Amino acid sequence: MSEWRKSSYSPSASDCVEVGHGIGIRDSKAPATHLPLSREAWEAFLHLAKA
């Protein structure tokens, strides 16, 4: 079981994007499903988001 962390940019407790270390990302409204991401894919996403 991974610990999921909510995005600091999420406006409320019910509309969140969550990140699970080593697992991927998910929508807090649908926690049973997630999008698996490799470390490389996540780092590439963060790099592009910061640019």
Side-chain angles (χ1 to χ4, degrees), residues 3-7 10 13 16-21 24-31 33-35 42:
E3 185 175 323
W4 292 91
R5 187 184 75 183
K6 294 183 187 299
S7 168
S10 294
C16 301
V17 171
E18 299 175 324
V19 177
H21 182 10
I25 59 174
R26 71 181 183 182
D27 183 340
S28 62
K29 293 178 285 189
T33 60
H34 70 277
L35 176 64
W42 180 246

